Amino acid sequence: MAWSDILGQEFPKRLLQAHLCAGRVAHAYLLAGPDGVGKGRVALEMAKTLNCVGEARPCDACGPCRQIARRIHPDVHFLEPTGASEQIRMDDIRSLMGRIALRPFSARAQVAILADAQRLTEEAANSLLKVLEEPSARSYFFLTTSRLSDCLPTIVSRCQLIRCQPLPRESVRRILVETQGCDPRLAEVIARLAAGSASAAVDLAARWTRYERIWASFAEGPASSVWLERPLPETRQEVAELLDGMMEWVRDLAVAATVGAAPVTHAAHIEALRRQALVVDLDRCLEAAWRLAALRESLEQFVSPRLVAALAREEWLSLFHETPVHGRPSTVHREEE
Ligand SMILES: [Zn+2]
């Protein structure tokens, strides 16, 4: 993999390459941006460039480049949250510093890549701060985070902050087609849902069949509401998928209720969406979307999945409860008329 293989992140790539060219690489960077946009890849590419012994750095062919790509280079250290609490603890930082200190002086560059910097405990962060305040000449730190606001300000202030943006939809689509062998049409749909995150897109592609089943059941309602007669899902994962599916459907419903023909995500279910859009309006869709999003959040905070599923079902029923007042501006747009 070379710099050009990292899709998106043009600004971070240009900035870091400029620092390399000028010989002004900082000792600590903090790459901040959503999950799955390539922050770790950018850090890995920097580790390769700093250690490469080939002509065009990184050459991807020399020993160091190949070792770093396989994450087995002795001078490139990876640290990520571990344990049930998923934290980076002081012992982890001490062990990292020990490994760096043990390396021979001849090493080209010592690079540490710390994922999820917001997961550093306060003690670990203080321990790391001491190193960042007095860095040795050939050691470089690349911290990444998807939650900049949760990072300790002292850590942020010691690093050069680089913001990584969500990936363009086309990049996500290409990743799905080229690396996951995804059907191009499906890749297009998933790329639209993935909000610029390659990892979310890959994850969604893997779960797509289960989502399809959920959407197909929504297409049966609301009059029959067949899916509501089935047992409610019970596991956190199943309920999360149900809620994600509901929110996607409500979004499409809102689009169908306002602009009709519409770039709906679930084009395969357009007839069902149009039918359902006759009995909802935009206000109700928005209200339902907010409540479903709140339920989704409560699921993350370990509220009982069964309770969340039951409340979601209530929400769904109330969405279709009343017949709309015809003629209201925000009500149904019947495209075929
Ligand atoms: Zn190389």
Side-chain angles (χ1 to χ4, degrees):
M1 192 186 76
W3 283 106
S4 57
D5 294 331
I6 302 174
L7 296 176
Q9 308 314 339
E10 297 310 321
F11 174 73
K13 285 191 289 186
R14 274 205 309 275
L15 183 73
L16 288 166
Q17 284 171 315
H19 288 186
L20 284 161
C21 286
R24 289 191 298 107
V25 179
H27 286 285
Y29 290 92
L30 176 58
L31 297 153
D35 283 323
V37 299
K39 302 186 296 292
R41 281 171 165 243
V42 169
L44 199 66
E45 214 53 26
M46 280 299 282
K48 274 163 45 179
T49 311
L50 289 164
N51 279 286
C52 178
V53 292
E55 292 277 312
R57 293 162 56 203
C59 69
D60 275 320
C62 71
C65 277
R66 288 207 301 248
Q67 281 183 316
I68 293 168
R70 293 171 59 204
R71 295 182 166 228
I72 53 167
H73 192 284
D75 299 319
V76 178
H77 315 273
F78 297 89
L79 199 54
E80 53 193 37
T82 54
S85 58
E86 294 199 8
Q87 287 181 317
I88 302 175
R89 296 179 195 77
M90 187 163 68
D91 286 350
D92 300 325
I93 297 293
R94 281 189 180 149
S95 151
L96 168 73
M97 297 323 298
R99 274 180 282 150
I100 289 179
L102 281 175
R103 291 299 304 156
F105 192 69
S106 58
R108 202 176 167 93
Q110 294 283 340
V111 179
I113 300 175
L114 278 84
D116 295 321
Q118 77 278 5
R119 296 267 178 198
L120 280 160
T121 64
E122 203 165 337
E123 294 80 16
N126 286 333
S127 191
L128 180 63
L129 265 182
K130 288 191 193 115
V131 186
L132 298 183
E133 277 162 6
E134 294 169 15
S136 70
R138 294 164 299 105
S139 63
Y140 302 93
F141 290 81
F142 294 90
L143 285 65
T144 66
T145 185
S146 57
R147 291 175 175 263
L148 182 60
S149 57
D150 291 347
C151 290
L152 289 170
T154 43
I155 290 286
V156 179
S157 69
R158 290 286 163 197
C159 298
Q160 175 148 358
L161 180 62
I162 298 182
R163 290 183 190 269
C164 297
Q165 302 298 326
L167 296 175
R169 190 187 296 171
E170 174 54 23
S171 300
V172 177
R173 196 194 65 79
R174 265 184 64 191
I175 290 168
L176 285 171
V177 172
E178 290 170 14
T179 71
Q180 306 294 307
C182 204
D183 171 76
R185 277 198 304 192
L186 177 58
E188 179 68 41
V189 175
I190 293 176
R192 253 191 273 162
L193 298 174
S197 165
S199 59
V202 170
D203 187 42
L204 187 53
R207 288 183 290 150
W208 191 258
T209 314
R210 296 205 295 280
Y211 274 100
E212 264 302 334
R213 218 174 295 141
I214 291 172
W215 290 317
S217 68
F218 293 163
E220 295 168 6
S224 65
S225 296
V226 175
W227 73 280
L228 292 171
E229 289 156 18
R230 293 176 193 148
L232 284 171
E234 295 195 3
T235 67
R236 205 166 291 281
Q237 160 110 11
E238 286 171 339
V239 177
E241 284 173 4
L242 173 66
L243 280 165
D244 289 343
M246 279 176 151
M247 286 191 282
E248 281 302 328
W249 191 265
V250 170
R251 177 203 166 275
D252 266 2
L253 214 44
V255 173
T258 46
V259 282
V264 291
T265 303
H266 305 294
H269 298 301
I270 185 64
E271 286 312 315
L273 284 163
R274 280 192 182 138
R275 204 171 55 241
Q276 294 179 7
L278 294 173
V279 292
V280 297
D281 66 25
L282 186 60
D283 292 342
R284 263 195 253 160
C285 286
L286 292 178
E287 205 176 305
W290 276 112
R291 291 199 190 142
L292 290 170
L295 283 174
R296 182 70 174 84
E297 210 173 308
S298 69
L299 197 63
E300 301 293 333
Q301 288 154 7
F302 299 99
V303 176
S304 150
R306 289 192 66 154
L307 174 64
V308 173
L311 291 171
R313 180 167 64 179
E314 291 306 309
E315 195 54 54
W316 191 261
L317 288 172
S318 72
L319 178 63
F320 297 107
H321 184 60
E322 296 165 29
T323 44
V325 181
H326 287 289
R328 267 162 61 176
S330 60
T331 46
V332 193
H333 173 94
R334 300 177 69 172
E335 206 215 357
E336 61 275 24
E337 286 178 2

